[in-house]
Amino acid sequence: MKMNGARIMLECLKKEGVDTVFGYPGGTVINIYDELFSFKEIRHILPRHEQAGTHAADGYARATGKVGVAIATSGPGATNTVTGIATAYMDSIPMVIVTGQVPTALIGNDAFQEVDIIGITRPCTKHSFLIKDVKDVAMIMKKAFYIARSGRPGPVLVDLPKDVQIAQTEFIYPESVDIRGYKPNLEGHFRQVEKAVGMLLDSQRPVMYVGGGVVLGDAADQLTTLARRLTVPVTTTLMGLGSFPGNDENSLGMLGMHGAYCANMAMTHSDLIVAVGARFDDRVTGKIATFAPNAKIIHIDVDPTSIKKNVRVDLPIVGDVQDVLSKMNKQLDKQKEKVEKFLSTLGPWHADIAGWKTKHPLSYKQSSTIIKPQYVIQKLRELSDDDAIVSTDVGQHQMWTAQFFQFNKPRTLLSSGGLGTMGYGLPAAMGAQAAYPGRQVITICGDGGVQMNIQEMATLVQNRLPVKIVILNNNFLGMVRQWQELFFDKRYSQTCMELPIDFIKLAEAYGAKGFHASKPDEVEKVIRQGFAEDGPVIMEFKVAREEKVLPMVPAGASLNEMVLNA
Amino acid sequence: MQHTISVLVENEFGVLSRVSALFSGRGFNIDSLTVAPTNDEGMSRMTIVTRGDENILEQITKQLNKLIDIIKVIDFTDGSGIEREMALIKVSAEDESRAEVLRIVDIFRAKIIDVTPRSYTIEATGSPVKIDGILDLLRPLGLKELVRTGAVAIGRGAKGWKG
């Protein structure tokens, strides 16, 4: 059947199993919206800003594991998606972004709302396509989804000029796709796996260091099986939280700049680090020269460029983490005796770790007069559902959430780890709630970041998305303020927000409810009230203004040079 | 250390910008870059001369391979390839220096492709080292203009890149 390019694009989304898209109309996508008007198989959610629409598609992708889809018009619509695309790129989130473009004949003429969005997004997309012929729409959409979700996932941008949307052709969706320059290596090399298991069983002080790759690769079960049978301590990055149960006795929690003391000490004293789906980011390693000085490193990752980029590696294994971890588990099945012997030698290592855990556990000083932000996070965990999804913005509240909200399941924490995007939390929660209308979705924000995409309150109310918005209000841009306190002699340059916002009235202006707590004994009541509401709510907590995130490894210091009290 | 890398790429919109953006975005050096179609219509071949230690070269190769439009990356640094480059050189040639230029051209098996009473234009082909050699000799005589293609490279032996 003949269809126009706009319709073909939508049919392709349907073929790829897309049920929800986040998009914003405009001049060069009006044809897509005209087709969408009668296209009932896809739910379209209209955010109030394209950046938020892209973050929502990202939140949808992180929560479900499916490819998130965003649509924007050419020019400013397209440039507004850039922060969202870069956020997804840094955390390897599968997304397809469809942007309208001026008609092909006008490209390059500085036409109205023309921008070279392919050029602008080149460094922050996994790949991008400009479609110049309606006959290519189906194949390019097929390729876009394949590239976005396979190998190390990432965002793919498809630029679709207006005349291509209007032109007609026969719609045939290709059944398969073959790209000669793109063959991700998914199967871990068997010999390398054997060697890895050998090294692991020969070690005395092993640590598994787990990143977002385990969440993205749906390998949490395989990882948990491996770590539990060997009783190997597991530390995760921010992106890896939830891939190993935070309440497991072998969990060390998060490592790095604001990681747990025991996690950073374990890395420093380890003789074997098994890195799984992690990339040795500078926030994790601290000073590279003194990072894990006594450890051999096994690095498992689907992306060869991650290996040996920042640190030396003794044994690289390129492959899908689920495949590699399954193979390691099978290898262990065959080596029962060696496993027994290994388990019998781990006692001293477990004792060291238990010692570090007791010496400096994650802690804060409770107060009876002023709300401590960490206390709010702990109460939220206590009172929320087991499978609640939590998104965050970036800054102090993000680190407190990572430290004190125990994540036990994968895909329950949505946070911008790589790019560190303020304004991410609220729209990401919106995307997750759209995917799971029945689950509890909470976004934990500061008073700074929440105002970067606060307009999405309207989208939540309009689409009946009951996101619970938690604002830890200290009237500061807290993380920068903390750095100014510690390293810049308390010169609080432009970090005090000064104007207090009435968030309750703000919620009401959008037709939502707002609750407020300013004393510790009000915290639980406000959380219960908020969770009991059917619709979106704001829960605002006036917290201790100059509370710091601790422990902290100062930028450029070694992991074992933690500031514990300041 | 200098490396010569051949990169086989899809003949698609924007490939050159993806490659050059990769080099600039990650702080890699490009000494020269050439690109032209191959015997396979859908494919172009780039030759990139770059510099860096072993780790940097490993990253360059891996990052290039990661680009979707790149089909194959070949590093010829181990001496497995032959390199050639062409230069067009406009040199002053008046009175006594006219004969000297001709002698140099002859020694390097280069060609005169344009001539005026005051100048010669020379076409020289060879390994990049040979081009450097002829330039060293011509420079004192007065180089007016120089164009180099940058190196192209191909593997030694009977096999093509596909093996």
Side-chain angles (χ1 to χ4, degrees):
Chain A
M1 202 175 103
K2 277 208 167 183
M3 298 177 187
N4 65 25
R7 177 67 185 244
I8 290 175
M9 193 278 288
L10 294 175
E11 293 286 346
C12 294
L13 296 183
K14 196 174 107 188
K15 287 273 187 194
E16 290 296 331
V18 174
D19 53 19
T20 309
V21 302
F22 303 86
Y24 207 99
T28 60
V29 286
I30 198 164
N31 299 84
I32 295 174
Y33 279 87
D34 188 56
E35 290 296 332
L36 201 58
F37 194 68
S38 53
F39 200 91
K40 296 298 172 206
E41 291 96 328
I42 291 177
R43 178 188 191 194
H44 182 276
I45 292 178
L46 174 73
R48 295 305 186 263
H49 190 295
E50 289 94 345
Q51 182 197 348
T54 321
H55 288 323
D58 168 312
Y60 176 96
R62 289 186 206 229
T64 61
K66 298 201 286 185
V67 178
V69 179
I71 298 174
T73 195
S74 63
T79 54
N80 275 346
T81 66
V82 173
T83 302
I85 295 172
T87 303
Y89 181 73
M90 288 294 276
D91 292 341
S92 308
I93 305 305
M95 276 184 13
V96 170
I97 304 93
V98 179
T99 49
Q101 183 53 282
V102 301
T104 43
L106 289 183
I107 291 178
N109 288 10
D110 298 327
F112 176 65
Q113 292 193 329
E114 180 189 356
V115 78
D116 173 16
I117 194 62
I118 297 265
I120 289 172
T121 59
R122 190 175 297 119
C124 62
T125 48
K126 185 171 173 187
H127 198 57
S128 49
F129 295 96
L130 169 65
I131 309 187
K132 287 181 168 169
D133 186 339
V134 69
K135 291 193 187 73
D136 297 336
V137 175
M139 184 43 110
I140 285 179
M141 289 300 289
K142 177 94 186 170
K143 283 184 180 174
F145 274 86
Y146 170 62
I147 292 169
R149 69 160 72 95
S150 58
R152 179 177 181 174
V156 177
L157 185 131
V158 178
D159 205 17
L160 190 55
K162 191 176 167 81
D163 55 323
V164 180
Q165 294 172 33
I166 295 168
Q168 301 230 341
T169 192
E170 206 68 36
F171 172 59
I172 303 160
Y173 202 59
E175 282 184 0
S176 63
V177 56
D178 179 58
I179 304 169
R180 56 182 166 176
Y182 178 67
K183 311 269 181 218
N185 185 0
L186 301 179
E187 296 203 3
H189 194 277
F190 186 71
R191 283 276 148 71
Q192 298 290 88
V193 171
E194 263 184 351
K195 272 190 210 161
V197 170
M199 283 167 76
L200 191 49
L201 293 181
D202 284 341
S203 68
Q204 268 106 51
R205 299 186 304 280
V207 182
M208 298 195 78
Y209 149 55
V210 174
V214 173
V215 177
L216 296 166
D218 291 319
D221 287 348
Q222 289 76 4
L223 171 86
T224 307
T225 305
L226 181 74
R228 281 189 173 155
R229 75 198 290 185
L230 294 180
T231 67
V232 174
V234 177
T235 178
T236 78
T237 66
L238 176 67
M239 305 312 296
L241 285 171
S243 57
F244 187 71
N247 55 10
D248 190 285
E249 59 176 336
N250 289 309
S251 170
L252 302 174
M254 185 173 75
L255 81 166
M257 182 174 271
H258 292 298
Y261 176 78
C262 62
N264 287 344
M265 291 305 276
M267 291 295 273
T268 305
H269 291 87
S270 166
D271 68 347
L272 180 76
I273 291 169
V274 185
V276 194
R279 59 186 175 91
F280 295 91
D281 168 87
D282 55 280
R283 286 294 191 262
V284 157
T285 60
K287 191 170 156 191
I288 286 279
T290 51
F291 174 71
N294 309 311
K296 289 202 163 140
I297 295 176
I298 299 173
H299 193 173
I300 306 167
D301 205 292
V302 75
D303 178 7
T305 65
S306 285
I307 292 172
K308 287 208 270 182
K309 185 169 64 182
N310 299 334
V311 298
R312 73 199 149 72
V313 170
D314 298 280
L315 184 74
I317 307 181
V318 175
D320 177 62
V321 287
Q322 197 190 74
D323 175 78
V324 175
L325 291 171
S326 305
K327 282 178 179 161
M328 287 177 78
N329 277 321
K330 274 190 201 135
Q331 273 295 305
L332 288 169
D333 291 340
K334 292 188 215 152
Q335 309 194 28
K336 294 242 157 65
E337 273 175 37
K338 270 199 98 176
V339 170
E340 286 302 317
K341 197 174 149 237
F342 169 78
L343 291 173
S344 69
T345 59
L346 279 189
W349 182 228
H350 283 147
D352 284 349
I353 285 168
W356 291 322
K357 274 188 181 172
T358 353
K359 193 171 170 199
H360 296 293
L362 285 173
S363 63
Y364 62 96
K365 250 194 214 117
Q366 182 57 301
S367 155
S368 59
T369 51
I370 192 152
I371 301 176
K372 287 300 181 90
Q374 301 93 327
Y375 173 66
V376 178
I377 307 282
Q378 282 183 325
K379 277 284 161 196
L380 282 167
R381 169 76 290 184
E382 198 183 304
L383 299 170
S384 61
D385 297 343
D386 272 354
D387 68 346
I389 297 170
V390 175
S391 76
T392 75
D393 251 60
V394 168
Q396 287 187 310
H397 71 276
Q398 178 192 33
M399 290 298 109
W400 285 319
T401 303
Q403 291 177 334
F404 292 97
F405 195 103
Q406 204 173 57
F407 291 93
N408 297 322
K409 295 191 171 111
R411 301 194 182 281
T412 54
L413 169 64
L414 321 176
S415 191
S416 168
L419 195 67
T421 308
M422 284 174 74
Y424 170 81
L426 173 48
M430 180 167 99
Q433 189 80 74
Y436 296 111
R439 272 169 78 175
Q440 199 171 46
V441 179
I442 306 162
T443 180
I444 300 174
C445 304
D447 54 306
V450 78
Q451 293 186 67
M452 282 199 179
N453 270 317
I454 192 72
Q455 77 285 348
E456 299 309 319
M457 287 289 298
T459 318
L460 296 181
V461 174
Q462 181 183 323
N463 292 281
R464 297 191 177 84
L465 299 169
V467 170
K468 310 301 173 199
I469 303 166
V470 173
I471 302 173
L472 300 180
N473 188 353
N474 57 8
N475 224 248
F476 267 125
L477 299 173
M479 188 58 97
V480 182
R481 188 211 59 78
Q482 174 170 339
W483 283 51
Q484 288 171 334
E485 178 187 333
L486 294 175
F487 312 119
F488 292 88
D489 210 16
K490 293 199 179 185
R491 289 151 62 89
Y492 294 163
S493 179
Q494 298 297 319
T495 43
C496 180
M497 302 295 270
E498 293 183 19
L499 181 76
I501 305 293
D502 188 334
F503 283 107
I504 310 299
K505 276 192 183 154
L506 186 77
E508 286 165 359
Y510 282 109
K513 287 230 170 106
F515 303 97
H516 167 99
S518 51
K519 293 197 181 66
D521 56 14
E522 296 165 350
V523 169
E524 181 164 341
K525 193 181 104 206
V526 164
I527 295 176
R528 285 188 189 279
Q529 276 177 326
F531 283 173
E533 284 295 324
D534 289 337
V537 290
I538 286 183
M539 295 175 243
E540 184 205 12
F541 301 90
K542 289 263 190 216
V543 296
R545 293 198 68 201
E546 302 198 22
E547 188 72 9
K548 284 189 288 293
V549 180
L550 293 168
M552 177 175 191
V553 179
S558 307
L559 276 191
N560 59 349
E561 295 171 347
M562 266 167 286
V563 178
L564 294 159
N565 307 291
Chain B
M1 175 172 179
Q2 212 173 43
H3 290 251
T4 305
I5 303 171
S6 266
V7 188
L8 287 125
V9 303
E10 295 287 354
N11 216 346
E12 297 260 3
F13 158 85
V15 179
L16 178 60
S17 56
R18 284 183 206 282
V19 171
S20 57
L22 174 90
F23 274 76
S24 61
R26 294 197 178 264
F28 303 145
N29 290 301
I30 298 181
D31 287 352
S32 76
L33 187 157
T34 71
V35 54
T38 65
N39 53 330
D40 178 338
E41 231 173 65
M43 215 186 274
S44 288
R45 183 159 173 155
M46 295 181 185
T47 311
I48 303 171
V49 179
T50 180
R51 260 172 302 139
D53 62 23
E54 203 186 313
N55 286 334
I56 290 174
L57 248 291
E58 183 174 336
Q59 269 299 313
I60 291 176
T61 314
K62 283 176 169 177
Q63 294 286 356
L64 283 169
N65 270 313
K66 191 169 162 179
L67 294 180
I68 311 285
D69 286 332
I70 286 186
I71 298 156
K72 173 104 179 151
V73 179
I74 312 163
D75 186 353
F76 285 121
T77 311
D78 52 1
S80 60
I82 307 162
E83 283 177 51
R84 288 295 178 267
E85 183 177 7
M86 186 171 82
L88 301 180
I89 311 156
K90 197 170 283 186
V91 62
S92 299
E94 289 178 84
D95 306 329
E96 69 274 19
S97 77
R98 287 186 80 83
E100 177 63 6
V101 171
L102 285 179
R103 275 195 293 276
I104 294 168
V105 165
D106 189 42
I107 291 165
F108 281 86
R109 297 196 181 94
K111 273 190 277 186
I112 307 285
I113 54 172
D114 188 39
V115 58
T116 74
R118 294 161 56 206
S119 73
Y120 283 126
T121 302
I122 300 160
E123 172 194 324
T125 309
S127 68
V129 178
K130 175 177 155 184
I131 304 294
D132 289 342
I134 189 169
L135 288 173
D136 284 346
L137 291 171
L138 292 174
R139 196 166 284 116
L141 305 175
L143 273 188
K144 287 161 160 298
E145 196 176 340
L146 168 67
V147 196
R148 297 176 72 152
T149 57
V152 292
I154 196 163
R156 290 181 189 277
K159 284 183 185 160
W161 66 270
K162 286 178 186 165

